Amino acid sequence: MLIVLAALLLVVMFLGAMGVRRIQLRRTLGTFDASVSTSRGKWMMAIARYGSGELEFLKLFSVSPIPVHRFVRTSIRLQGWRKPEEEEKHLVQPGSVIVMMGYEGRDILIAMDYQTYNGLSAWLEAGPVAGVGTWRQD
């Protein structure tokens, strides 16, 4: 009986820690809920955040503060957006659009709401200068 109560207490503490982490992350400017796919058909629910030079994705169901995916701002290429295909609809949040992104020769898909896509697009376009005369390194 004592072991069951201890296990239950650990589960409750873990869920509480996940909730506190999510609240803390969502308070930060530039964070949003998203799903990311770096390989065909595999989606991961995440909390995404963009800062001065990187777009980061942290697992939604985790207590780790370390991003699982990190993309450098100057290497990101937005390739547009589309509505989710039939097989993707149950893998992403309702009302999401699928953003197609190129990063260092790889294709990345990100599911987010359309308003968040507009913010991400503006963040990329307003990027800092990375070289003399241009902010992109092509």
Side-chain angles (χ1 to χ4, degrees):
M1 182 68 170
L2 189 58
I3 294 173
V4 173
L5 287 175
L8 185 60
L9 180 63
L10 285 174
V11 169
V12 169
M13 287 174 51
F14 180 74
L15 292 174
M18 280 187 359
V20 168
R21 172 184 170 264
R22 181 161 185 196
I23 289 169
Q24 292 291 24
L25 286 172
R26 294 291 291 156
R27 284 184 180 175
T28 307
L29 187 63
T31 60
F32 56 94
D33 292 329
S35 294
V36 62
S37 175
T38 56
S39 60
R40 187 155 179 86
K42 286 186 74 176
W43 287 90
M44 177 187 75
M45 290 179 67
I47 297 174
R49 66 181 173 199
Y50 48 89
S52 61
E54 293 180 325
L55 175 61
E56 301 175 330
F57 290 88
L58 295 95
K59 283 186 179 181
L60 181 63
F61 300 110
S62 174
V63 292
S64 174
I66 300 170
V68 195
H69 298 291
R70 183 176 280 150
F71 304 107
V72 178
R73 183 182 197 168
T74 56
S75 298
I76 296 173
R77 304 286 182 264
L78 282 184
Q79 299 165 341
W81 64 273
R82 61 177 171 77
K83 292 188 177 186
E85 296 173 356
E86 197 61 40
E87 63 271 6
E88 294 171 324
K89 284 185 179 180
H90 69 281
L91 300 172
V92 299
Q93 299 99 331
S96 294
V97 295
I98 307 296
V99 177
M100 297 163 291
M101 182 175 92
Y103 183 76
E104 296 180 351
R106 296 184 295 161
D107 290 329
I108 312 292
L109 298 177
I110 304 169
M112 63 181 72
D113 65 47
Y114 187 74
Q115 289 82 7
T116 304
Y117 166 71
N118 286 333
L120 178 65
S121 176
W123 174 75
L124 284 171
E125 291 173 4
V129 173
V132 177
T134 180
W135 78 274
R136 292 243 184 225
Q137 297 175 0
D138 290 321

